């Protein structure tokens, strides 16, 4: 029986490769998950009669530091602990004397931002919904990068180190595969990590490829080193070949019976070349029924265009012919992975309604098959403990909210319930206190209006927008009360404009030393899912100011509304669909219907002015709640109405709803019954 051997292999592999796991993994359990649950999930993926999905993604952000951490009997090794980090602020001396201390498992560093977190949340919700799925990705031995700030310079990217072999839950299998890179054959280890459902009754395995194999030459060992290493086009092509071609080979080597290949972004499009090899045209047409593709961005740099001359160094002539046939760009010297993925797939989806519109304008020849499925977030991952407790306390209203977040619409029943409203405000204040404890050396206060901007520092996201006219911020603060602004975010090391934005923010912060009684600004190093969770739940307002329509969806604001945090946002991405929900304020430029515009025309002055207008209302309204003594008035303030609208709205913007939509429109899977 293939199935049984498979589990025994898993146990043997884990114990042979790392005996410290002997306590955690055995015949009856895999950490705190019954081994039968794992066996069942694996068996379903081997069963040809059960429709199963392989979900390919270059990155996965699983956030095990904040959710479903595998508790090992063995201590976490030092190198796998989250590092203390620095802050750059206008409280200068604090920056010199203090670090932020964290004692936590480091997140598996195989993601860079929202794309990866979405992939992680997708696996988690698929596990919750008991779908037969396996994730395919890459074990990035050096993670993404380590960010250090340097005044006058911006961010300094360093190498990130961690140890997969002692990372709880990560198992190196005995199987290996090889992939030809030009004339060389490179060996890959395969690793497995089980993503459990919230109730631990199902798992989605994640399979990760790793070239750090002793049989490989030094250069080949580095191939799965750094995520999005873009020192050369060759490197970019090779990393995409590993994911696409290697992913298919890994699935075949392990014998999985996969019915549908889902490409999360064009990065994985070479999977199609691998499957199509040697097929007739008619068979290839049939093959496209087995592929689906999610397009995540309207931004130019997000679409890979690879020179054929470089691809020839990595792929065989047959593969190049196929790539030309299905993936030729307007420029005949380039292969366009977006085009390849679209041609390969019978289903193409954009990640919000507005993005559907934009994608159809950008790719008119594929218009018919493009559909919008709005992104979401995994509720059990992103709910703060205080809000989780509150929702559980009201579980007669929010029945099974983890499985069925739609139930948050019931919050309207609590509209005039003073006890609930009071508890909601207190829960929020508790979250704020926790965040502030982390930042206590900087004298951040829990009764001061606090707003955060935290995400990838990409130019279209306009990291420095709120700091364009700091005199206006100080005016608002003098009129209504002080303001605290928290920043976090990394720019891709090769994104010079994004890196410049970080430098610009550091410079502006430096100039605000004398204004610190009114305005405190802190920039936190090394944004990751752990910091994200503190920020999305611990601030009063979440700032989202991309240039419309370039934010395909955005997801961090969805994490914030789940925790009752109001939005201050431009009309872009998911927010367009929530514009009438009264979850905060919307400001700024709106492109004409049917127009995309120029992603480099950032409209900084106009949009920062309209940002301050709306911010002024929010600061005023916040202090109306914070400073009121009358309990009744305080808890019936419009601010708390908006917090309740936020929670209600998160009933839609979650991956439980999103995965259900994928399944209904694209995957057509049946949930597993244990
Ligand atoms: C959620 C998340 C993101 C995505 O943020 P956007 O709002 O989509 O830009 C990026 N990074 C981390 C660490 C996250 O948790």
């Amino acid at each position: 029986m293939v199935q049984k051997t498979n589990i025994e292999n898993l146990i043997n592999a884990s114990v042979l490769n790392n005996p410290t796991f002997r306590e955690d993994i055995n015949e009856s359990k895999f950490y705190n998950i019954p081994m039968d649950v794992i066996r069942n999930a694996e068996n379903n993926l081997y069963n040809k009669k059960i429709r199963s999905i392989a979900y390919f993604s270059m990155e996965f952000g699983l956030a095990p530091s904040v959710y479903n951490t595998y508790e090992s009997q063995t201590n976490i090794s030092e190198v796998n602990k989250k590092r203390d980090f620095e802050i750059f602020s206008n409280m200068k001396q604090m920056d010199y004397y203090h670090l932020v201390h964290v004692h936590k498992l480091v997140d598996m560093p195989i993601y860079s931002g929202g794309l990866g977190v979405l992939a992680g949340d997708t696996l988690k919700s698929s596990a919750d919904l008991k779908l037969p799925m396996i994730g395919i990705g890459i074990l990035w031995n050096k993670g993404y990068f380590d960010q250090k700030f340097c005044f006058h310079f911006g961010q300094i990217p360093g190498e990130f180190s961690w140890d997969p072999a002692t990372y709880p839950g990560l198992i190196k299998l005995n199987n290996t595969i090889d992939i030809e890179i030009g004339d060389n054959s490179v060996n890959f280890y395969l690793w497995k990590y089980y993503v459990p459902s919230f109730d631990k009754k199902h798992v989605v395995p994640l399979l990760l490829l790793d070239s750090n194999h002793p049989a490989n030459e030094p250069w080949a060992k580095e191939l799965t080193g750094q995520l999005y290493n873009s020192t050369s086009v060759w490197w970019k092509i090779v990393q995409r070949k590993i994911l696409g071609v290697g992913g298919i080979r890994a699935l075949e080597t392990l014998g999985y019976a996969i019915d549908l290949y889902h490409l999360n972004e064009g990065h994985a499009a070479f999977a199609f070349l691998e499957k199509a090899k040697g097929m007739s045209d008619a068979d290839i047409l049939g093959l496209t029924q087995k592929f689906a593709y999610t397009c995540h961005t309207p931004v130019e740099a997000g679409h890979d265009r690879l020179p054929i001359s470089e691809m020839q160094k990595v792929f065989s002539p047959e593969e190049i012919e196929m790539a030309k046939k299905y993936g030729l760009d307007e420029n005949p010297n380039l292969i366009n992975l977006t085009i390849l993925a679209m041609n390969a797939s019978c289903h193409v989806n954009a990640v919000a309604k507005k993005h559907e519109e934009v994608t159809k304008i950008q790719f008119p020849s594929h218009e018919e098959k493009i559909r919008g499925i709005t992104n979401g977030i995994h509720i059990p991952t992103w709910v703060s403990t205080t809000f989780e407790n509150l929702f559980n306390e009201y579980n007669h209203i929010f029945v099974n909210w983890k499985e069925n977040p739609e139930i948050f619409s019931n919050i309207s029943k609590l509209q005039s319930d003073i006890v609930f409203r009071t508890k909601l405000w207190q829960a929020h204040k508790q979250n704020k206190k926790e965040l502030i404890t982390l930042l206590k050396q900087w004298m951040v206060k829990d009764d001061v209006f606090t707003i955060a901007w935290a995400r990838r520092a990409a130019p279209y996201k306009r990291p420095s927008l709120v700091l364009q006219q700091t005199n206006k911020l100080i005016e608002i603060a003098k009129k209504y009360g002080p303001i605290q602004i928290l920043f976090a975010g990394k720019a891709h090391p090769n994104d010079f404009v994004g890196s410049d934005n970080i430098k610009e923010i550091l410079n502006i912060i430096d100039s605000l030393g004398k204004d610190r009684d009114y305005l405190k600004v802190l920039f936190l190093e090394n944004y990751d899912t752990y910091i994200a969770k503190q920020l999305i739940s611990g601030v009063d307002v979440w700032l989202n100011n991309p240039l419309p329509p370039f934010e395909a969806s955005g997801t961090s604001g969805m994490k914030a509304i789940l925790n009752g945090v109001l939005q201050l946002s431009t009309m872009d991405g998911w927010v367009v669909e929530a514009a009438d929900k009264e979850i905060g304020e919307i400001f700024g430029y709106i492109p004409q219907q049917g127009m995309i515009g120029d992603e480099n025309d950032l409209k900084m002055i106009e949009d920062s002015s309209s940002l301050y207008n709306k911010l002024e209302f929010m600061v005023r309204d916040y202090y109306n709640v914070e400073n009121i003594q009358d309990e009744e008035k305080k808890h019936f303030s419009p601010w708390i109405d908006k917090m309740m609208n936020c929670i209600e709205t998160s009933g839609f913007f979650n991956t439980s709803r999103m995965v259900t939509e994928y399944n209904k429109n694209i995957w057509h899977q049946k949930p597993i019954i244990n």
Side-chain angles (χ1 to χ4, degrees), residues 111-114 117 382 454-456 461 527-529 532 542 544 551 554-557 559:
Y111 71 99
S112 78
V117 175
W382 295 106
R455 44 182 53 79
R456 265 184 328 113
K461 290 176 185 264
Y527 187 47
D528 63 4
T529 49
W542 193 251
N544 178 49
E551 187 67 273
T555 52
S556 58
K559 302 167 189 166

Side-chain angles (χ1 to χ4, degrees), residues 372-530:
I373 299 181
T374 305
N375 275 348
I377 51 121
H378 183 244
I379 296 245
T381 299
W382 295 106
V383 70
S384 57
T385 312
T386 44
F387 274 61
E388 181 171 13
N389 293 341
L390 182 66
F391 297 150
N392 285 341
E393 190 182 331
Y394 283 79
N395 63 6
H396 52 289
I397 304 280
F398 306 123
V399 183
N400 288 339
W401 59 274
K402 281 190 187 169
E403 281 164 282
N404 179 30
E406 255 178 294
I407 201 81
F408 283 135
S409 61
N410 273 355
I411 201 164
S412 57
K413 294 183 184 165
L414 299 167
Q415 198 65 35
S416 52
D417 184 331
I418 179 100
V419 179
F420 178 79
R421 296 178 71 108
T422 309
K423 284 183 173 169
L424 180 61
W425 180 251
Q426 284 166 348
H428 170 62
K429 288 299 290 247
Q430 183 57 36
N431 283 343
K432 208 168 162 186
K433 284 201 177 87
E434 277 170 30
L435 170 63
I436 275 152
T437 308
L438 202 68
L439 307 175
K440 60 177 181 288
Q441 309 291 3
W442 284 264
M443 288 179 276
V444 177
K445 298 207 181 85
D446 75 340
D447 56 357
V448 169
F449 177 88
T450 307
I451 183 167
W453 184 99
R455 44 182 53 79
R456 265 184 328 113
Y460 78 92
K461 290 176 185 264
R462 303 189 290 190
S464 65
L465 191 69
V466 68
L467 296 181
Q468 289 307 300
Q469 306 173 57
T470 50
N471 58 321
K472 295 214 173 149
L473 286 172
I474 292 161
E475 270 170 38
I476 298 172
K478 285 186 174 161
K479 206 157 150 192
Y480 296 105
I483 297 175
Q484 298 172 152
I485 307 181
L486 307 178
F487 281 96
K490 294 174 170 181
H492 185 281
N494 282 44
D495 174 359
F496 299 114
V497 185
S499 300
D500 261 357
N501 287 147
I502 292 179
K503 179 165 76 181
E504 179 194 358
I505 294 174
L506 297 184
N507 285 338
I508 299 174
I509 291 176
D510 185 63
S511 74
L512 293 170
K514 62 183 188 322
D515 303 302
R516 60 176 68 148
D517 291 341
Y518 298 104
L519 183 62
K520 280 195 189 111
V521 190
L522 279 69
F523 201 152
L524 285 60
E525 270 177 4
N526 269 323
Y527 187 47
D528 63 4
T529 49
Y530 174 77

Side-chain angles (χ1 to χ4, degrees), residues 1-10 38-48 192 194 254-256:
M1 240 166 63
V2 168
Q3 292 87 336
K4 184 149 198 307
T5 322
N6 180 49
I7 292 296
E8 271 157 11
N9 273 346
L10 180 78
I38 306 244
R39 199 171 271 130
N40 192 31
E42 289 278 2
N43 286 351
N44 283 300
L45 290 167
Y46 284 103
N47 188 335
K48 291 196 170 61
K192 205 171 254 185
Y194 288 104
L254 297 178
Y256 287 114

